[in-house]
Amino acid sequence: MKLQTNTLLALYSVLEFAANPGRHLSAAEVAQKYRVSPHHLAKVLRTLGRAGLVGAVRGVGGGYRFAGNAKRLTLMDVIELFEDISAPRRAIAKGARRRSATDGIAAPQEVEDALGVVLKEIDEIAKATFRSITLDTMLKLIERRRGARG
Amino acid sequence: MIYRKKSSIAAPGEARQARVRGVLAGDLEQVIEIDTVVTGLRKAAYWAEILRRYGGGRRQRYFLVAEADGRIEGYVIGEVRDWEFGSAPCGWVFAISVRPDARLGGTGTRLLGAISDNFRRAGVSKLRTMLARDNQLILSFFRSQGMMAAPFISLEKDL
């Protein structure tokens, strides 16, 4: 499982804001911490803002703050804003060898169908995992990892 | 069976704190009522059998209830399982439920904490459970308690 850069950046950002719920953090602060371009981060924050997960405050002392419910918001809620993690579905023309819409490979339908069953199983497990972990649970997990690292 | 008299895992700000204790025969009707409300299916005979097998302080089997103001708010059931599929003895939780109107008050946390204490006293150091992957509510609850995916995969087939 590999998430796209924007998705990872969104997860890092939203966890950063959720860990400091009362504090306004500037995009520059977050960008510096994660060593990404402020311009790139700003695009991610706009998406998070449109979804109501972060709120922006303008002016001196302004920045972004967490606007969601950390006990309810799951990793999947954030991921879905940026990408569809389902395995690519092929353009299926029944009973014929087809060229995949995504990778250009022609495969017999039964082979494609069987592989699709396996990929769907993996998708469902991955989605269930992301749906079951709230930001609050992630923050606890991060805290435990921090404790374990001493 | 050893029961926790008072939990140290209380949720902040809750109005009343349920007490966790071993199930009594007189609790069963309320346990059935909670299960019926949550699952939509009344299973009186099943619960009578569960009480017979897990109630009454049986060795390595635990059926605990959370009681507040004389009302049963929730229950948890589990047992120590030895060497199944190569697994060292572990504590299995196979049922946990809290009345919908009593949720978000720390009752589930206290129930799981109490049965975990019993498992520890029975000498096991691993807690396991299994549930449907679309059961987001209970999955999230177990995740919030620090549970992670186990190194086992459950499989099935139509017969």
Side-chain angles (χ1 to χ4, degrees):
Chain A
M1 167 64 57
K2 192 173 178 184
L3 297 172
Q4 293 171 9
T5 304
N6 275 359
T7 312
L8 285 173
L9 194 48
L11 288 170
Y12 293 147
S13 303
V14 86
L15 284 166
E16 189 71 30
F17 293 122
N20 303 279
R23 200 175 144 215
H24 291 107
L25 295 169
S26 72
E29 270 181 276
V30 179
Q32 189 176 27
K33 179 167 182 176
Y34 291 95
R35 296 182 190 167
V36 295
S37 88
H39 178 70
H40 191 171
L41 180 66
K43 285 202 286 190
V44 169
L45 293 179
R46 271 199 296 276
T47 304
L48 293 174
R50 277 197 297 272
L53 306 190
V54 298
V57 178
R58 296 185 187 281
V60 179
Y64 292 88
R65 64 172 177 74
F66 185 60
N69 180 344
K71 285 183 180 293
R72 287 282 171 268
L73 196 68
T74 69
L75 297 183
M76 195 69 200
D77 294 329
V78 178
I79 291 168
E80 279 175 334
L81 295 173
F82 293 88
E83 64 178 290
D84 178 1
I85 62 168
S86 303
R89 298 283 179 263
R90 295 183 162 206
I92 294 172
K94 201 170 181 181
R97 280 175 162 255
R98 303 156 315 284
R99 288 210 167 265
S100 159
T102 53
D103 54 21
I105 302 169
Q109 181 154 359
E110 64 278 11
V111 176
E112 191 171 298
D113 288 350
L115 189 58
V117 168
V118 176
L119 294 177
K120 185 166 180 281
E121 184 180 311
I122 295 168
D123 277 356
E124 286 173 1
I125 292 169
K127 286 179 179 173
T129 301
F130 286 133
R131 281 196 193 99
S132 71
I133 300 177
T134 63
L135 295 191
D136 189 62
T137 295
M138 271 303 288
L139 293 175
K140 286 184 201 165
L141 185 57
I142 291 166
E143 203 52 48
R144 282 203 300 277
R145 303 289 290 189
R146 189 174 287 136
R149 289 167 71 96
Chain B
M1 190 185 297
I2 301 163
Y3 306 126
R4 286 161 58 106
K5 288 188 176 163
K6 191 174 179 182
S7 172
S8 58
I9 319 171
E14 60 195 290
R16 56 182 183 172
Q17 185 165 302
R19 182 176 71 101
V20 178
R21 59 168 174 78
V23 70
L24 301 171
D27 301 326
L28 198 62
E29 191 49 47
Q30 290 190 71
V31 168
I32 293 170
E33 178 197 329
I34 294 169
D35 177 55
T36 305
V37 167
V38 172
T39 68
L41 197 62
R42 188 176 167 84
K43 308 181 273 291
Y46 164 79
W47 281 108
E49 178 64 12
I50 290 292
L51 180 66
R52 188 186 69 75
R53 287 164 54 197
Y54 292 87
R58 296 182 193 283
R59 187 174 167 271
Q60 298 195 331
R61 290 183 169 188
Y62 309 99
F63 187 164
L64 310 180
V65 294
E67 179 190 6
D69 300 335
R71 187 175 86 143
I72 302 302
E73 305 277 49
Y75 58 83
V76 63
I77 312 167
E79 64 185 328
V80 174
R81 291 188 184 172
D82 299 327
W83 304 112
E84 287 181 344
F85 303 105
S87 161
C90 67
W92 256 100
V93 167
F94 67 86
I96 185 165
S97 196
V98 174
R99 283 184 194 277
D101 65 0
R103 289 177 185 168
L104 300 175
T107 301
T109 299
R110 269 194 297 284
L111 283 164
L112 197 66
I115 201 166
S116 296
D117 284 351
N118 281 305
F119 287 144
R120 281 189 206 97
R121 290 182 184 112
V124 299
S125 57
K126 190 73 81 178
L127 178 68
R128 291 209 174 99
T129 191
M130 183 174 73
L131 62 160
R133 60 179 167 232
D134 62 357
N135 191 343
Q136 195 181 342
L137 182 75
I138 307 297
L139 258 178
S140 295
F141 166 71
F142 281 123
R143 291 285 194 179
S144 75
Q145 302 298 307
M147 295 187 76
M148 304 295 286
F152 295 90
I153 293 178
S154 61
L155 301 172
E156 66 176 22
K157 68 178 281 190
D158 294 331
L159 298 176

